[in-house]
């Protein structure tokens, strides 16, 4: 008897060049989302994509935690790019205007980001190390 396969889950990423670059580089590996989100399971692949840019990568979910916004740990909020809890609340309200300290959130972590964009990034990084002067002329053109 055949078993049902679970569908691929996705996370939308803001069209912020810095954030997307940090994801591809493996620097950003966490997101805090409003609400208790279903379908995100440890070990499962997740597609990180942007709805306004032709950009996506695949990663593996390593942790999922549900809590109130006030319960997000300092380590989690700093890993997501916030300086402190007040900065996190302000930043979250850009996307979720009704967010309060009591709002439910899902903290999702991932690793092993991969795909064409990651390969291109690594190739470009390796080129910079080997040939910095040539790379500057090629990649810094405007």
């Amino acid at each position: 008897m055949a078993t049902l396969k679970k569908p691929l889950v996705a996370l939308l990423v803001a069209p912020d060049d810095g954030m997307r670059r940090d994801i591809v580089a493996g620097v950003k590996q966490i997101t805090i989302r409003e609400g208790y989100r279903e379908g995100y399971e440890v070990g499962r692949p997740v597609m990180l994509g942007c709805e306004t840019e032709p950009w996506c990568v695949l990663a593996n979910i390593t942790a999922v935690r549900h809590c109130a916004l006030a319960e997000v740990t300092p380590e989690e909020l700093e890993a997501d790019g916030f300086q402190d809890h007040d900065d996190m609340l302000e930043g979250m309200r850009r996307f979720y205007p009704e967010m309060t300290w009591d709002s439910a959130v899902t903290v999702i972590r991932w690793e092993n980001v991969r795909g064409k964009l990651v390969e291109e990034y690594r190739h470009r990084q390796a080129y910079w190390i080997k040939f910095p002067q040539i790379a500057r002329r090629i990649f810094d053109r405007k």
Side-chain angles (χ1 to χ4, degrees), residues 58-78:
L58 197 64
N60 293 345
I61 296 173
T62 59
V64 179
R65 188 168 84 84
H66 300 104
C67 62
L69 186 66
E71 298 170 330
V72 173
T73 68
E75 188 278 327
E76 289 169 332
L77 67 89
E78 288 172 14

Side-chain angles (χ1 to χ4, degrees), residues 37-84:
R37 306 286 176 110
E38 288 187 57
Y40 300 102
E41 299 172 11
V42 174
R44 239 176 124 190
V46 61
M47 184 183 75
L48 301 148
C50 183
E51 66 187 52
T52 61
E53 301 287 331
W55 184 94
C56 72
V57 294
L58 197 64
N60 293 345
I61 296 173
T62 59
V64 179
R65 188 168 84 84
H66 300 104
C67 62
L69 186 66
E71 298 170 330
V72 173
T73 68
E75 188 278 327
E76 289 169 332
L77 67 89
E78 288 172 14
D80 201 14
F82 300 111
Q83 296 191 13
D84 56 33

Side-chain angles (χ1 to χ4, degrees), residues 89-136:
L89 178 60
E90 182 181 326
M92 297 291 286
R93 283 183 172 162
R94 284 188 356 231
F95 301 101
Y96 314 108
E98 305 299 317
M99 182 72 70
T100 69
W101 292 116
D102 295 325
S103 295
V105 296
T106 302
V107 180
I108 304 168
R109 291 181 177 270
W110 63 83
E111 65 180 18
N112 190 24
V113 177
R114 57 201 181 275
K116 183 173 178 21
L117 294 174
V118 175
E119 291 170 15
E120 288 175 358
Y121 172 83
R122 289 180 182 151
H123 176 73
R124 187 173 294 150
Q125 292 302 100
Y127 205 85
W128 270 101
I129 291 167
K130 290 181 183 176
F131 310 104
Q133 294 172 336
I134 296 171
R136 194 168 289 112

